[in-house]
Structures are given as structure tokens and as C-alpha cells.
């Protein structure tokens, strides 16, 4: 990264200093958001909404100040190359998004999202969509306004403008093509897998209860095994698992249930994948756009690579079997590695996205993508969301949610203002399969090492090929360099057939 010392670049220098200030504010917002979801007492919601809105406006004003446009134009004439040139492109993109929205709209969206998220928590607890219908409607109204403004400024369709916030350069038409390929292939795969499972019989479920304290201890041990650094992060519990904070202070959350440990363990592994990506970003570019994660497709690829590719493999599940036996004092057939493999690779037509297997998961995402596009376009009235959700679940997965909590209230995203995020989950699953296959091709000893609880070889490949690339290239550029091909569905579908049908 010797190009960080490029000579005679006063405009770029000033921009980099400004964007580091923006990053510091956004990092503080991230920690405040973590606190709101994990630690904050219920009565603190209004005050936190005010704090977050104020900080959001400060960051927005730093990005949209008149001198930023002047310096961006001047920096384009300066001798920048390599990472600094990529950073200028990222600063220009961030500026274009920010200047599309007035500060008043940014503030209104922050307040509305905070109130909607709080209403969602109460509505979910009561399984009553009516309790959040009004707040969600306000969030969507403001989101449509923001999408229209960004679409006009960026020269793209409204949904594409929202997608670009989470996956820079993401193509709606490409998502449609990839999702169509998956929707055509997955029902046949699902039927074949279910038929095979029926012939093999059900696995034996370990008998509980499984004390939360024991699950928490096991989770920390697994995180350490994967490479998580507790000197730069922590594990907590919340309603909806997530990874937040900043690269030097990564906050992982999950949820545990004493009735079973399967979901909690994999939730921790998933979020730890996100955390490892954040911690692996290049410290030399900390606080600058080029030093941030490329986008949510690669971010989700890192969580799903750990959860689905590595940690649901027979090799790792043999290692996990021994860890679980020790954690819960388990004994007998239920704790054998092959039985645990059958539990963790169980496929079913389920209701809950975060608990879905990797065969049905893309269908959950396809539904949400369709619904959020319809909500944004105004083709689906907010009040009709529960019914449309139920119809979509029946069509794609053959199941019907019995209540709102297991239907349209299960995910936080829309209620928190995140429209355009959902496609990145499945695109991330495709990238995860592609990257893991490339890693194993480059180092065939990786699976055996994982079976010993040694993730250093996998990380040794991921760090230079994904994590340390940060935003120095496009998602496809990073994938092309790492795997030899742009993002595609082929490696993912081949992985499913190999794991669930060929073994």
C-alpha cells in the first residue's frame, strides 16, 4: 500500500480527513444501535432516536457540504493511483448518495425507523401486525421519497438506487436472472432431498434442556476456534441476531433457547463470519471508504461460508460433536458425529428464514425481494402485507404461517428502514459456495484442518483474497481474481447436489 504516500494531493488529503470524521460518527452510530438492541432500557427509545438522528444529520452534512464537490473535482486531477484512486471513486459514490437527500429527509427517516423498530418489537411479541402497520407505512413513505431522489441523482430505477446502498453496482436485472435460475432448480432439488430424508428416517434429537449458560460457553469456544478475537469484540444476546460495532470493536449477538442448541450455535457461527470479515479489513485504510467491506454480498458470503460451507461440513460436525458432548454432558447415539450431521443438514419446508436450511433459504429471500419491490412501488398496500406473505410462502415453500410473528413480523429489516438488503443474502450464499470451492482447490488440506478445529488455513486464504481487498475492487472483480469467474449460481447448485444428493 505504498501509494498511500502519493505526493501533492491536497484535495484528496482534505477529503480523506473529512471522510475519517464521517466514519467516526457512523461508528458511534453503530455502537449506539447495538446498545439500543441489546442493552438499552425500553424507556430510552425516544432519547436514543434523538441522539441517532442528530449524529446522522452531522454525518450527512459533512458529506454534503459544498466544498466536498469542489474537492472531489480537484482530486480527480491529482496523481492518485491504486488504493487512493479506488478510495476517490468510493468517496464520489458516497457523496452522490448523500447529496441526493436533504438533511431533513435523513433526519425524518432516522426518527421514523427508530420508532418503527420499537413498534415492531412490541408487535412481534404480540404477533399483531396491526400494531406496527402505521409506523411501517411511514417508513415506506419516506423510503419511497428517498429512493425517488436517489434514482434521479444516480440515473437508475428507485429499487436499484436502494440496492446500491448495500451492494454498490448491484444489478436488478442480474438478480432477476440469478433468482430465476434458482427458482427453476431448487424445487426439484428440494423434492429429491426430502424423498431421500424420508427413506433415511429422522435423526435422533439430543434430549434437553440445554442451559443458556452452557450454550453461551460453547458459543464462545466455537468463536475462538473460528478465529474471533475477544480483545476486539464481544458476544451478547438479543431478539434478532446481528453483527455490529466497528472493525476494532466487533459486537456479535445471537439468541438461545433451552429447548435446543442447534439454531443458537449456527447463529453464532454465521455472525462470527461477519465479524471475521470486519476484523480482516486492512487497518492501513481504516476510516476510509476503500477500507470498508465491499458490500453486503461479500459480507453475507463470509457469514454463510463459515456457517454453511465450513461448519455444516461432515469434517467440522465431527469436531463440534465432541465440543457439544463436553458442553452438555451428552452421551449416546444422539451425540454421534453422523447423527449431528443429519441434524445440521436437515432440510424442511420451514417458516423462519434465519432457521432455514441452505436448500430452502433462497426461496425465503426470493419472496422478500418480491414483496419489498412491490411495497416500494406502491403495488402492495402495507395492510395487505400479511396476506401477500402467506400466499408467497404457500407458492414457494408449500407452508402457511399460522400467525404474524412467524410471517411478516419475523425480520427486522423493513421496520428498520432497510429496503433493498434482502437480495444480498442469497447472492452471498452463491458467492460463499464459489469462494469456498476456490479455497479448497487452492489448499486441499483445508477440510481436514477444519475437522481438527483449525481454521487458520481457511483464514489464510480468505484474508488476502477477500478480507484485505476491502473496497479496492468491485464484487465481481474480487470474485474473478479469487475464483476465476464472476458471481454465478452454478457452484452453489453443485454444492447442494453434492452435499444432499450425491453423498
Amino acid at each position: 500500500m505504498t501509494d498511500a504516500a502519493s505526493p501533492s494531493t491536497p484535495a484528496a488529503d482534505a477529503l480523506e480527513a473529512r471522510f475519517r470524521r464521517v466514519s467516526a460518527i457512523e461508528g458511534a452510530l453503530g455502537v449506539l444501535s447495538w446498545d439500543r438492541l441489546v442493552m438499552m432500557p425500553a424507556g430510552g427509545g425516544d432519547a436514543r432516536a434523538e441522539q441517532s438522528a442528530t449524529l446522522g444529520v452531522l454525518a450527512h452534512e459533512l458529506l454534503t457540504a459544498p466544498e466536498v464537490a469542489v474537492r472531489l473535482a480537484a482530486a480527480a486531477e491529482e496523481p492518485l493511483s491504486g488504493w487512493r484512486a479506488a478510495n476517490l471513486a468510493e468517496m464520489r459514490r458516497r457523496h452522490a448518495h448523500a447529496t441526493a437527500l436533504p438533511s431533513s429527509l435523513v433526519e425524518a427517516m432516522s426518527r421514523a425507523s427508530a420508532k418503527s423498530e420499537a413498534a415492531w418489537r412490541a408487535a412481534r411479541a404480540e404477533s399483531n401486525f396491526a400494531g406496527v402497520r402505521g409506523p411501517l407505512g411511514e417508513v415506506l413513505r419516506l423510503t419511497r421519497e428517498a429512493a425517488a431522489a436517489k434514482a434521479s441523482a444516480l440515473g437508475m430505477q428507485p429499487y436499484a438506487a436502494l440496492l446500491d446502498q448495500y451492494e454498490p453496482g448491484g444489478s436488478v436485472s442480474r438478480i432477476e436472472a440469478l433468482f430465476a435460475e434458482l427458482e427453476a432448480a431448487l424445487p426439484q432439488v428440494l423434492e429429491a432431498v426430502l424423498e431421500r430424508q424420508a427413506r433415511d428416517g429422522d435423526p435422533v434429537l439430543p434430549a434437553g434442556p440445554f442451559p443458556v449458560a452452557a450454550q453461551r460457553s460453547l458459543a464462545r469456544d466455537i468463536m475462538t476456534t473460528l478465529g474471533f478475537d475477544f480483545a476486539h469484540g464481544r458476544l451478547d444476546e438479543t431478539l434478532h441476531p446481528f453483527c455490529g460495532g466497528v472493525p476494532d470493536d466487533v459486537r456479535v449477538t445471537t439468541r438461545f433457547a433451552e429447548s435446543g442448541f442447534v439454531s443458537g450455535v449456527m447463529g453464532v457461527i454465521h455472525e462470527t463470519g461477519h465479524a471475521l470479515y470486519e476484523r480482516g479489513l486492512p487497518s492501513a485504510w481504516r476510516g476510509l471508504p476503500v477500507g470498508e467491506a465491499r458490500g453486503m454480498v461479500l459480507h453475507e458470503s463470509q457469514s454463510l461460508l463459515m456457517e454453511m460451507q465450513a461448519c455444516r461440513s461432515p469434517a467440522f460436525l465431527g469436531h463440534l460433536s465432541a465440543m457439544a458432548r463436553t458442553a452438555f454432558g451428552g452421551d449416546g447415539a444422539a451425540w454421534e458425529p453422523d447423527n449431528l450431521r443429519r441434524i445440521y443438514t436437515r432440510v424442511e419446508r420451514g417458516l423462519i428464514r434465519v432457521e432455514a436450511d441452505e436448500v430452502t433459504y433462497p426461496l425465503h429471500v426470493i419472496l422478500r425481494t418480491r414483496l419489498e419491490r412491490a411495497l416500494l412501488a406502491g403495488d402492495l398496500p402495507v395492510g395487505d402485507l400479511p396476506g401477500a406473505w402467506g400466499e408467497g410462502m404457500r407458492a414457494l415453500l408449500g407452508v402457511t404461517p399460522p400467525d404474524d410473528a412467524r410471517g411478516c413480523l419475523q425480520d427486522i429489516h423493513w421496520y428498520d428502514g432497510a429496503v433493498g438488503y434482502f437480495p444480498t443474502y442469497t447472492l452471498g450464499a452463491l458467492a460463499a459456495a464459489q469462494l469456498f470451492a476456490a479455497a479448497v482447490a487452492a489448499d486441499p488440506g483445508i477440510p481436514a484442518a477444519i475437522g481438527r478445529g483449525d481454521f487458520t488455513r481457511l483464514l489464510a486464504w480468505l484474508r488476502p483474497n477477500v478480507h484485505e481487498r476491502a473496497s479496492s475492487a468491485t464484487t465481481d472483480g474480487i470474485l474473478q481474481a479469487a475464483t476465476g469467474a464472476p458471481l454465478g449460481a452454478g457452484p452453489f447448485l453443485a454444492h447442494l447436489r453434492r452435499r444432499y444428493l450425491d453423498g
Side-chain angles (χ1 to χ4, degrees):
M1 300 180 186
T2 56
D3 59 343
S6 299
S8 189
T9 56
D13 294 344
L15 286 168
E16 288 165 5
R18 178 177 290 263
F19 273 79
R20 282 195 172 96
R21 292 179 66 195
V22 172
S23 177
I25 293 173
E26 291 175 342
L29 277 168
V31 175
L32 283 174
S33 177
W34 167 87
D35 178 80
R36 173 172 56 86
L37 295 169
V38 176
M39 303 290 290
M40 189 188 76
D46 288 345
R48 183 55 47 83
E50 182 69 24
Q51 295 160 356
S52 297
T54 299
L55 288 174
V57 168
L58 287 174
H60 185 258
E61 290 175 346
L62 279 171
L63 283 174
T64 58
E67 59 267 30
V68 175
V70 174
R71 286 173 176 157
L72 283 170
E77 304 300 320
E78 294 178 341
L80 302 176
S81 62
W83 281 68
R84 292 197 82 197
N87 189 51
L88 177 61
E90 288 303 304
M91 290 191 291
R92 188 180 296 115
R93 187 184 68 84
R94 289 282 305 274
H95 179 257
H97 269 281
T99 53
L101 305 182
S103 293
S104 59
L105 179 55
V106 173
E107 184 174 5
M109 291 177 69
S110 177
R111 294 180 191 278
S113 295
K115 291 179 180 178
S116 175
E117 186 270 331
W120 167 77
R121 287 177 174 273
R124 175 171 165 160
E126 298 171 359
S127 192
N128 179 23
F129 177 75
V132 73
R133 175 179 171 179
L136 175 60
E138 177 63 8
V139 167
L140 289 171
R141 183 187 71 79
L142 294 169
T143 300
R144 290 189 196 100
E145 186 177 339
K150 290 192 174 192
S152 177
L154 301 172
M156 56 182 66
Q157 293 299 310
Y159 187 74
L162 296 182
L163 173 67
D164 193 73
Q165 298 174 127
Y166 305 109
E167 181 53 31
S171 165
V172 175
S173 62
R174 190 170 179 200
I175 289 172
E176 290 173 342
L178 288 169
F179 281 12
E181 185 175 353
L182 292 173
E183 192 174 358
L186 287 177
Q188 183 178 2
V189 174
L190 176 58
E191 287 297 332
V193 173
L194 292 176
E195 288 175 8
R196 178 171 180 170
Q197 286 183 171
R199 291 195 303 269
D200 293 345
D202 294 336
V204 181
L205 295 178
F210 305 96
V212 167
Q215 291 191 60
R216 189 181 300 117
S217 178
L218 174 61
R220 289 178 64 89
D221 288 345
I222 292 172
M223 292 171 72
T224 300
T225 296
L226 268 57
F228 186 82
D229 180 3
F230 279 97
H232 288 280
R234 56 182 290 143
L235 172 66
D236 293 277
E237 292 148 52
T238 189
L239 180 63
H240 192 96
F242 68 93
C243 176
V246 296
D248 291 314
D249 178 12
V250 188
R251 309 297 178 92
V252 171
T253 73
T254 192
R255 59 189 180 202
F256 300 115
E258 290 200 347
S259 58
F261 68 91
V262 171
S263 178
V265 164
M266 283 301 164
V268 166
I269 292 171
H270 180 98
E271 301 305 336
T272 300
H274 283 303
L276 292 171
Y277 186 20
E278 287 292 320
R279 283 293 297 146
L281 295 171
S283 59
W285 298 94
R286 194 81 85 229
L288 292 174
V290 75
E292 296 176 357
R294 169 63 282 174
M296 291 315 302
V297 169
L298 283 182
H299 227 311
E300 293 300 336
S301 82
Q302 296 310 284
S303 61
L304 291 168
L305 187 150
M306 285 296 173
E307 178 194 0
M308 296 296 188
Q309 299 292 322
C311 293
R312 292 184 195 254
S313 68
F316 180 74
L317 290 174
H319 182 75
L320 178 61
S321 172
M323 296 180 74
R325 282 176 184 266
T326 300
F328 304 114
D331 191 23
W335 300 89
E336 290 298 322
D338 186 64
N339 187 67
L340 201 60
R341 175 194 62 79
R342 293 173 64 199
I343 292 173
Y344 273 107
T345 57
R346 191 71 176 170
V347 173
E348 63 180 5
R349 302 177 188 274
L351 294 166
I352 307 301
R353 176 187 63 85
V354 298
E355 297 174 0
D357 55 82
E358 58 186 332
V359 177
T360 60
Y361 192 100
L363 300 174
H364 287 268
V365 172
I366 288 170
L367 170 63
R368 287 155 175 77
T369 302
R370 286 177 179 166
L371 292 178
E372 69 178 9
R373 292 182 68 178
L375 286 167
L376 182 70
D379 296 333
L380 175 62
V382 176
D384 292 346
L385 178 58
W389 187 288
E391 291 172 7
M393 288 294 289
R394 282 191 295 275
L396 287 168
L397 284 156
V399 294
T400 302
D403 51 48
D404 292 341
R406 284 172 284 185
C408 63
L409 291 178
Q410 65 181 267
D411 294 310
I412 193 175
H413 302 64
W414 299 333
Y415 307 95
D416 202 31
V419 176
Y421 188 112
F422 274 120
T424 66
Y425 284 120
T426 284
L427 299 180
L430 305 186
Q434 196 165 318
L435 288 166
F436 191 72
V440 172
D443 182 358
I446 285 175
I450 288 172
R452 298 189 300 271
D454 177 6
F455 280 75
T456 57
R457 295 176 74 153
L458 177 57
L459 283 175
W461 189 88
L462 289 173
R463 290 297 194 215
N465 286 289
V466 181
H467 302 175
E468 293 168 6
R469 298 294 308 277
S471 287
S472 64
T474 65
T475 296
D476 268 342
I478 292 170
L479 285 170
Q480 182 77 48
T483 72
L487 183 64
F492 175 74
L493 291 171
H495 156 73
L496 294 184
R497 294 186 177 102
R498 184 168 55 249
R499 173 172 287 178
Y500 294 94
L501 296 175
D502 297 341

